[in-house]
mmCIF file of all heavy atoms in Angstrom:
data_model
loop_
_atom_site.group_PDB
_atom_site.id
_atom_site.type_symbol
_atom_site.label_atom_id
_atom_site.label_comp_id
_atom_site.label_asym_id
_atom_site.label_seq_id
_atom_site.Cartn_x
_atom_site.Cartn_y
_atom_site.Cartn_z
ATOM 1 N N VAL A 123 -9.288 -51.318 -29.181
ATOM 2 C CA VAL A 123 -8.063 -52.107 -29.429
ATOM 3 C C VAL A 123 -7.524 -52.648 -28.107
ATOM 4 O O VAL A 123 -7.102 -53.806 -28.022
ATOM 5 C CB VAL A 123 -7.003 -51.235 -30.150
ATOM 6 C CG1 VAL A 123 -5.662 -51.965 -30.209
ATOM 7 C CG2 VAL A 123 -7.456 -50.888 -31.562
ATOM 8 N N ALA A 124 -7.531 -51.803 -27.071
ATOM 9 C CA ALA A 124 -7.034 -52.239 -25.759
ATOM 10 C C ALA A 124 -7.868 -53.375 -25.202
ATOM 11 O O ALA A 124 -7.347 -54.280 -24.553
ATOM 12 C CB ALA A 124 -7.036 -51.055 -24.803
ATOM 13 N N ARG A 125 -9.181 -53.346 -25.445
ATOM 14 C CA ARG A 125 -10.063 -54.406 -24.965
ATOM 15 C C ARG A 125 -10.034 -55.660 -25.847
ATOM 16 O O ARG A 125 -10.493 -56.720 -25.435
ATOM 17 C CB ARG A 125 -11.518 -53.910 -24.873
ATOM 18 C CG ARG A 125 -11.764 -52.840 -23.831
ATOM 19 C CD ARG A 125 -13.244 -52.613 -23.611
ATOM 20 N NE ARG A 125 -13.931 -52.101 -24.795
ATOM 21 C CZ ARG A 125 -14.127 -50.829 -25.053
ATOM 22 N NH1 ARG A 125 -13.683 -49.899 -24.233
ATOM 23 N NH2 ARG A 125 -14.770 -50.467 -26.164
ATOM 24 N N GLY A 126 -9.541 -55.493 -27.060
ATOM 25 C CA GLY A 126 -9.478 -56.614 -28.009
ATOM 26 C C GLY A 126 -10.806 -56.946 -28.623
ATOM 27 O O GLY A 126 -10.989 -58.073 -29.121
ATOM 28 N N THR A 127 -11.731 -55.999 -28.633
ATOM 29 C CA THR A 127 -13.016 -56.225 -29.239
ATOM 30 C C THR A 127 -13.665 -54.895 -29.593
ATOM 31 O O THR A 127 -13.391 -53.866 -28.950
ATOM 32 C CB THR A 127 -13.960 -57.002 -28.294
ATOM 33 O OG1 THR A 127 -15.210 -57.256 -28.965
ATOM 34 C CG2 THR A 127 -14.232 -56.235 -27.030
ATOM 35 N N GLY A 128 -14.503 -54.899 -30.632
ATOM 36 C CA GLY A 128 -15.184 -53.692 -31.046
ATOM 37 C C GLY A 128 -15.358 -53.681 -32.549
ATOM 38 O O GLY A 128 -14.856 -54.563 -33.264
ATOM 39 N N HIS A 129 -16.078 -52.671 -33.039
ATOM 40 C CA HIS A 129 -16.326 -52.607 -34.476
ATOM 41 C C HIS A 129 -16.536 -51.164 -34.895
ATOM 42 O O HIS A 129 -17.151 -50.389 -34.173
ATOM 43 C CB HIS A 129 -17.555 -53.436 -34.843
ATOM 44 C CG HIS A 129 -17.539 -53.923 -36.282
ATOM 45 N ND1 HIS A 129 -17.218 -55.216 -36.620
ATOM 46 C CD2 HIS A 129 -17.812 -53.287 -37.442
ATOM 47 C CE1 HIS A 129 -17.269 -55.350 -37.939
ATOM 48 N NE2 HIS A 129 -17.656 -54.200 -38.456
ATOM 49 N N LEU A 130 -16.028 -50.820 -36.071
ATOM 50 C CA LEU A 130 -16.183 -49.507 -36.676
ATOM 51 C C LEU A 130 -16.871 -49.657 -38.015
ATOM 52 O O LEU A 130 -16.457 -50.484 -38.843
ATOM 53 C CB LEU A 130 -14.796 -48.865 -36.881
ATOM 54 C CG LEU A 130 -14.738 -47.563 -37.690
ATOM 55 C CD1 LEU A 130 -15.479 -46.446 -36.995
ATOM 56 C CD2 LEU A 130 -13.296 -47.176 -37.999
ATOM 57 N N VAL A 131 -17.944 -48.892 -38.214
ATOM 58 C CA VAL A 131 -18.650 -48.874 -39.486
ATOM 59 C C VAL A 131 -18.592 -47.475 -40.068
ATOM 60 O O VAL A 131 -18.898 -46.485 -39.377
ATOM 61 C CB VAL A 131 -20.130 -49.303 -39.325
ATOM 62 C CG1 VAL A 131 -20.860 -49.204 -40.654
ATOM 63 C CG2 VAL A 131 -20.245 -50.709 -38.748
ATOM 64 N N LEU A 132 -18.217 -47.369 -41.327
ATOM 65 C CA LEU A 132 -18.207 -46.087 -42.016
ATOM 66 C C LEU A 132 -19.161 -46.166 -43.205
ATOM 67 O O LEU A 132 -18.991 -47.026 -44.079
ATOM 68 C CB LEU A 132 -16.809 -45.736 -42.488
ATOM 69 C CG LEU A 132 -15.845 -45.522 -41.306
ATOM 70 C CD1 LEU A 132 -14.801 -46.618 -41.261
ATOM 71 C CD2 LEU A 132 -15.166 -44.157 -41.358
ATOM 72 N N VAL A 133 -20.182 -45.319 -43.197
ATOM 73 C CA VAL A 133 -21.160 -45.327 -44.269
ATOM 74 C C VAL A 133 -20.673 -44.387 -45.344
ATOM 75 O O VAL A 133 -20.627 -43.164 -45.187
ATOM 76 C CB VAL A 133 -22.547 -44.876 -43.776
ATOM 77 C CG1 VAL A 133 -23.557 -44.845 -44.925
ATOM 78 C CG2 VAL A 133 -23.028 -45.831 -42.665
ATOM 79 N N SER A 134 -20.258 -44.962 -46.474
ATOM 80 C CA SER A 134 -19.764 -44.201 -47.602
ATOM 81 C C SER A 134 -20.919 -44.014 -48.594
ATOM 82 O O SER A 134 -22.051 -43.779 -48.209
ATOM 83 C CB SER A 134 -18.574 -44.934 -48.247
ATOM 84 O OG SER A 134 -18.054 -44.225 -49.352
ATOM 85 N N SER A 135 -20.643 -44.110 -49.886
ATOM 86 C CA SER A 135 -21.648 -43.931 -50.913
ATOM 87 C C SER A 135 -21.062 -44.408 -52.231
ATOM 88 O O SER A 135 -19.848 -44.410 -52.409
ATOM 89 C CB SER A 135 -22.043 -42.455 -51.029
ATOM 90 O OG SER A 135 -22.787 -42.202 -52.198
ATOM 91 N N ILE A 136 -21.926 -44.800 -53.158
ATOM 92 C CA ILE A 136 -21.442 -45.136 -54.490
ATOM 93 C C ILE A 136 -20.785 -43.920 -55.141
ATOM 94 O O ILE A 136 -19.912 -44.048 -55.991
ATOM 95 C CB ILE A 136 -22.609 -45.659 -55.379
ATOM 96 C CG1 ILE A 136 -22.068 -46.281 -56.652
ATOM 97 C CG2 ILE A 136 -23.622 -44.578 -55.627
ATOM 98 C CD1 ILE A 136 -21.151 -47.480 -56.464
ATOM 99 N N ALA A 137 -21.150 -42.710 -54.664
ATOM 100 C CA ALA A 137 -20.519 -41.491 -55.148
ATOM 101 C C ALA A 137 -19.042 -41.449 -54.778
ATOM 102 O O ALA A 137 -18.266 -40.742 -55.421
ATOM 103 C CB ALA A 137 -21.231 -40.262 -54.600
ATOM 104 N N GLY A 138 -18.655 -42.181 -53.747
ATOM 105 C CA GLY A 138 -17.262 -42.267 -53.369
ATOM 106 C C GLY A 138 -16.478 -43.265 -54.189
ATOM 107 O O GLY A 138 -15.253 -43.324 -54.077
ATOM 108 N N CYS A 139 -17.173 -44.047 -54.978
ATOM 109 C CA CYS A 139 -16.532 -45.029 -55.861
ATOM 110 C C CYS A 139 -16.417 -44.502 -57.292
ATOM 111 O O CYS A 139 -15.417 -44.762 -57.978
ATOM 112 C CB CYS A 139 -17.315 -46.332 -55.871
ATOM 113 S SG CYS A 139 -17.543 -47.128 -54.279
ATOM 114 N N LEU A 140 -17.435 -43.831 -57.759
ATOM 115 C CA LEU A 140 -17.525 -43.431 -59.156
ATOM 116 C C LEU A 140 -17.393 -41.924 -59.419
ATOM 117 O O LEU A 140 -16.992 -41.534 -60.479
ATOM 118 C CB LEU A 140 -18.878 -43.910 -59.743
ATOM 119 C CG LEU A 140 -19.173 -45.400 -59.689
ATOM 120 C CD1 LEU A 140 -20.557 -45.686 -60.264
ATOM 121 C CD2 LEU A 140 -18.122 -46.180 -60.452
#
Side-chain angles (χ1 to χ4, degrees):
V123 171
R125 293 192 297 266
T127 183
H129 206 102
L130 170 66
V131 177
L132 296 111
V133 179
S134 181
S135 168
I136 191 62
C139 302
L140 301 178

